[in-house]
Amino acid sequence: MIDENDVIIYIGKAKRLDKRVSQYFLRPQSGKVATMVSNVSRFETIITANEKEALILESNLIKEHLPRFNVLLKDDSHYPYIALRKSGNDPYLRIARKVSDPKNYAYFGPYPNSSSAYRIIDLLNKIFPLRKCKNIPSTPCLYYHLNQCLAPCINEIEPSVYQNLIKQIESFLNGNDSEIKAEIRTKMYAASESLNFESAHEYKLQLEAIEQIMAKQTVDLKEKIDRDIFAYSVRDNYFALAVLVYRSGLLLGKELYVVEQFGSESDQFANLITQYYGSHPLPDEIIVGSEKITNELRPFLETSIIAPKQGDKVVMVLNAQENAAQGLDEHFLTARLSDDNLALLNELGELLHINTPYRIDIFDIAHLQGEAPLGAAVVYINGEPVKRMYRRYNISKQNAGNDIGSLDEVLTRRYKRIKEENQPLPDLIIVDGGIAHVNAALNALNNLDLDVTVAGLVKDEKHQTKALLSPHGEVVELDTRSPLFFFLMRMQDEVHRYVITFHRRKRRKKAFKSILDDIKGLGRKRQQIIRSAYPTLQALQK
């Protein structure tokens, strides 16, 4: 569906296109659907060979065009795996974002978020004496003295010892925790009997951590397979999708998405599940509570999809439904500012006397008295951040410490490339500053012969944002208690967070930089030998 400005505003698929379109235009509509229908100027259609091809095409087109009326799961992350290195003489654990080297690593997951994966790695590193150092040092570290590492840096470890550790860890991550718990319990009692209460307490904490992490939040299933359980809840035109993630029979966590309701419940449920697997690996089994949904999903998802009628799996679906309903409750209690992004974008457009800015690029500059200068661009589409489109820029020496020159440089570099690659331009550019910053941005755009609206966020004497500077130089006062003000502050905080994170990293890296780093052929080992021989700069100069 395309509006009068030739902008794609909605992309959808259907086996019966006439039936699907008539649902939008021949029935009374309200809210987001009514707004979309009133904005449609014309249609374009593409005929595909089958439903699966249509799904893939729909997904690709939505990612490319990001239409403002398509309900999307906000998801830019790669889901973590726990990777156990099993080749070589010194196995260790790490977080992996994808299964890239199955020959040398055993992978477990993916986990719903990084925190749960890191929590398990921390526990495993306390229980099993694997090496923790990224690179093997020449002297033993603290973990060796805490009996949490076998110290391959100074000891020759028998391969059989490591093979036994690998088997135990694999067994543990596959849900078999009874042997480990029994072993730790034995050590705890032994430490207690020898009056070593500090060690006994540490073992007790390990047992509690295992119980907490490995606790099954629903029934204990005999099949040790990977499965995802989906359910939804609807309330006041909002749709909550809950996903319970089981791997090897263990519940690793849940994911919850709350979006605006759009169309029929069953259509949106099926659509969001297929979207979910655009960025997640397929499990061995998908469980949903509706036979109709399983029939809709089977042509698209090549795995087992079932709608249970009785037994343990019905309990799992009910649990997922409860999580979805609770997620909606929390959504309304917290009154998220992103609830009505479209209305806020319309309000912003009216204040600036421009069309609704569905895509906004916002910029910030960071430096410390000219040191480690960086610029950053953050992109919001339909009022939501699109993190894969964020960019950061190292600023040249001649503009270091000069915010106006830095801003001109960053915008020139960014939009020159966008113009050369024929990528879409934003509807609005926001810079963190007053008229000088707005003029710098306009100068960069004029030199590139580009016409994009630029606005500024003006600060008061206390360096607090107080007003919006319009493209015409008009200062628009903002009600600091209004949703629009907090909407703009959220964008401003996000670009500031993004640029400051990399600015600190750059400063930290520079703080530890040595004159030896710039000499080709000098690796870490040789630098260490030189520093040992010449502990001061004066000694080295002599």
Side-chain angles (χ1 to χ4, degrees), residues 181-405:
K181 288 196 292 187
E183 185 179 332
I184 294 174
R185 199 172 283 114
T186 300
K187 291 179 179 178
M188 181 179 71
Y189 291 142
S192 180
E193 287 174 6
S194 61
L195 305 182
N196 189 352
F197 298 116
E198 189 173 336
S199 295
H201 181 66
E202 181 62 31
Y203 290 129
K204 181 174 180 290
L205 292 177
Q206 288 182 14
L207 280 174
E208 290 174 353
I210 293 173
E211 292 291 350
Q212 182 182 4
I213 288 172
M214 305 298 282
K216 299 164 183 62
Q217 297 178 33
T218 62
V219 290
D220 184 15
L221 296 173
K222 293 179 181 178
E223 312 103 310
K224 303 296 183 183
I225 67 170
D226 296 350
R227 56 165 58 89
D228 293 337
I229 295 91
F230 289 88
Y232 70 90
S233 182
V234 175
R235 175 180 162 193
D236 294 343
N237 293 321
Y238 281 87
F239 187 103
L241 176 75
V243 192
L244 299 183
V245 180
Y246 283 80
R247 293 298 177 264
S248 299
L250 293 175
L251 178 59
L252 298 187
K254 74 170 183 181
E255 295 198 68
L256 184 76
Y257 304 91
V258 180
V259 298
E260 292 175 82
Q261 190 178 353
F262 195 80
S264 72
E265 292 178 14
S266 59
D267 284 350
Q268 187 160 5
F269 188 36
N271 180 270
L272 292 178
I273 291 173
T274 53
Q275 272 194 54
Y276 179 84
Y277 288 111
S279 58
H280 295 72
L282 277 171
D284 303 316
E285 183 177 88
I286 295 171
I287 299 176
V288 295
S290 163
E291 191 67 44
K292 179 185 176 184
I293 299 299
T294 63
N295 293 333
E296 288 190 28
L297 294 176
R298 281 182 184 129
F300 307 132
L301 305 176
E302 296 176 354
T303 190
S304 172
I305 306 172
I306 62 171
K309 297 289 190 294
Q310 59 184 5
D312 295 341
K313 292 175 182 176
V314 172
V315 177
M316 300 166 79
V317 172
L318 293 174
N319 188 23
Q321 286 176 347
E322 188 177 338
N323 277 277
Q326 182 185 6
L328 270 184
D329 291 341
E330 291 172 359
H331 177 84
F332 283 103
L333 283 172
T334 53
R336 288 175 47 188
L337 292 171
S338 59
D339 281 356
D340 200 358
N341 286 339
L342 193 59
L344 293 174
L345 290 171
N346 284 331
E347 183 182 348
L348 179 59
E350 289 171 4
L351 279 177
L352 298 176
H353 309 295
I354 61 172
N355 293 329
T356 304
Y358 295 108
R359 170 173 167 173
I360 298 172
D361 287 9
I362 181 165
F363 291 83
D364 198 6
I365 305 294
H367 62 86
L368 183 64
Q369 296 178 341
E371 286 294 313
L374 271 177
V378 159
V379 179
Y380 275 72
I381 296 180
N382 301 332
E384 295 288 354
V386 184
K387 294 187 177 180
R388 61 184 171 83
M389 300 177 76
Y390 288 15
R391 295 293 183 271
R392 63 182 186 273
Y393 301 88
N394 286 309
I395 293 168
S396 60
K397 288 183 179 179
Q398 67 257 32
N399 287 320
N402 177 358
D403 282 2
I404 305 303

Side-chain angles (χ1 to χ4, degrees), residues 68-116:
R68 64 180 182 269
F69 290 110
N70 280 95
V71 174
L72 300 174
L73 299 182
K74 194 171 73 172
D75 193 333
D76 287 311
S77 55
H78 296 282
Y79 293 85
Y81 292 82
I82 290 178
L84 170 63
R85 183 182 173 183
K86 53 186 181 180
S87 64
N89 300 322
D90 53 335
Y92 57 85
L93 293 159
R94 67 178 182 89
I95 294 291
R97 295 294 169 179
K98 57 183 178 180
V99 179
S100 57
D101 188 9
K103 182 179 178 181
N104 295 311
Y105 288 88
Y107 293 90
F108 303 88
Y111 289 80
N113 53 64
S114 296
S115 60
S116 57

Side-chain angles (χ1 to χ4, degrees), residues 309-521:
K309 297 289 190 294
Q310 59 184 5
D312 295 341
K313 292 175 182 176
V314 172
V315 177
M316 300 166 79
V317 172
L318 293 174
N319 188 23
Q321 286 176 347
E322 188 177 338
N323 277 277
Q326 182 185 6
L328 270 184
D329 291 341
E330 291 172 359
H331 177 84
F332 283 103
L333 283 172
T334 53
R336 288 175 47 188
L337 292 171
S338 59
D339 281 356
D340 200 358
N341 286 339
L342 193 59
L344 293 174
L345 290 171
N346 284 331
E347 183 182 348
L348 179 59
E350 289 171 4
L351 279 177
L352 298 176
H353 309 295
I354 61 172
N355 293 329
T356 304
Y358 295 108
R359 170 173 167 173
I360 298 172
D361 287 9
I362 181 165
F363 291 83
D364 198 6
I365 305 294
H367 62 86
L368 183 64
Q369 296 178 341
E371 286 294 313
L374 271 177
V378 159
V379 179
Y380 275 72
I381 296 180
N382 301 332
E384 295 288 354
V386 184
K387 294 187 177 180
R388 61 184 171 83
M389 300 177 76
Y390 288 15
R391 295 293 183 271
R392 63 182 186 273
Y393 301 88
N394 286 309
I395 293 168
S396 60
K397 288 183 179 179
Q398 67 257 32
N399 287 320
N402 177 358
D403 282 2
I404 305 303
S406 297
L407 194 60
D408 189 307
E409 177 185 333
V410 169
L411 268 79
T412 299
R413 289 167 58 187
R414 177 172 179 78
Y415 294 113
K416 182 181 179 182
R417 179 166 184 174
I418 285 177
K419 183 179 180 180
E420 289 172 350
E421 295 178 356
N422 200 27
Q423 296 179 24
L425 291 164
D427 302 309
L428 173 65
I429 292 170
I430 296 178
V431 295
D432 193 8
I435 189 66
H437 295 79
V438 170
N439 286 337
L442 288 171
N443 181 64
L445 294 168
N446 289 336
N447 290 337
L448 294 169
D449 196 26
L450 295 175
D451 183 19
V452 183
T453 302
V454 180
L457 289 171
V458 183
K459 293 183 170 62
D460 59 20
E461 62 278 0
K462 295 180 180 178
H463 207 67
Q464 301 293 318
T465 301
K466 66 166 186 175
L468 192 63
L469 186 68
S470 79
H472 314 292
E474 175 191 357
V475 176
V476 182
E477 295 290 337
L478 295 169
D479 180 358
T480 55
R481 293 170 296 179
S482 68
L484 178 60
F485 177 80
F486 289 110
F487 181 70
L488 291 169
M489 289 308 94
R490 190 170 43 166
M491 289 195 286
Q492 189 180 41
D493 290 344
E494 175 65 2
V495 70
H496 185 67
R497 176 203 65 78
Y498 182 65
V499 73
I500 285 295
T501 298
F502 290 102
H503 174 60
R504 287 173 179 160
R505 188 179 299 176
K506 188 176 179 181
R507 278 169 47 201
R508 189 161 55 242
K509 187 176 180 180
K510 191 170 182 178
F512 289 99
K513 187 174 175 64
S514 161
I515 59 170
L516 301 177
D517 292 335
D518 296 325
I519 302 173
K520 290 184 178 179

Side-chain angles (χ1 to χ4, degrees), residues 29-148:
Q29 302 290 357
S30 61
K32 192 174 180 180
V33 178
T35 306
M36 181 192 76
V37 168
S38 67
N39 277 275
V40 175
S41 176
R42 63 186 178 87
F43 299 92
E44 283 186 6
T45 60
I46 301 174
I47 299 172
T48 61
N50 51 55
E51 291 179 66
K52 187 171 182 180
E53 192 177 296
L55 173 74
I56 294 169
L57 178 62
E58 179 192 41
S59 176
N60 290 338
L61 289 174
I62 288 173
K63 286 177 182 176
E64 180 183 353
H65 297 286
L66 296 165
R68 64 180 182 269
F69 290 110
N70 280 95
V71 174
L72 300 174
L73 299 182
K74 194 171 73 172
D75 193 333
D76 287 311
S77 55
H78 296 282
Y79 293 85
Y81 292 82
I82 290 178
L84 170 63
R85 183 182 173 183
K86 53 186 181 180
S87 64
N89 300 322
D90 53 335
Y92 57 85
L93 293 159
R94 67 178 182 89
I95 294 291
R97 295 294 169 179
K98 57 183 178 180
V99 179
S100 57
D101 188 9
K103 182 179 178 181
N104 295 311
Y105 288 88
Y107 293 90
F108 303 88
Y111 289 80
N113 53 64
S114 296
S115 60
S116 57
Y118 276 112
R119 194 167 68 247
I120 293 174
I121 280 188
D122 288 342
L123 174 63
L124 292 171
N125 277 329
K126 286 181 180 178
I127 298 173
F128 300 103
L130 299 180
R131 76 171 171 96
K132 319 296 189 280
C133 304
K134 188 174 180 180
N135 298 299
I136 297 180
S138 55
T139 56
C141 61
L142 178 63
Y143 292 109
Y144 172 67
H145 301 290
L146 292 173
N147 296 318
Q148 292 181 10

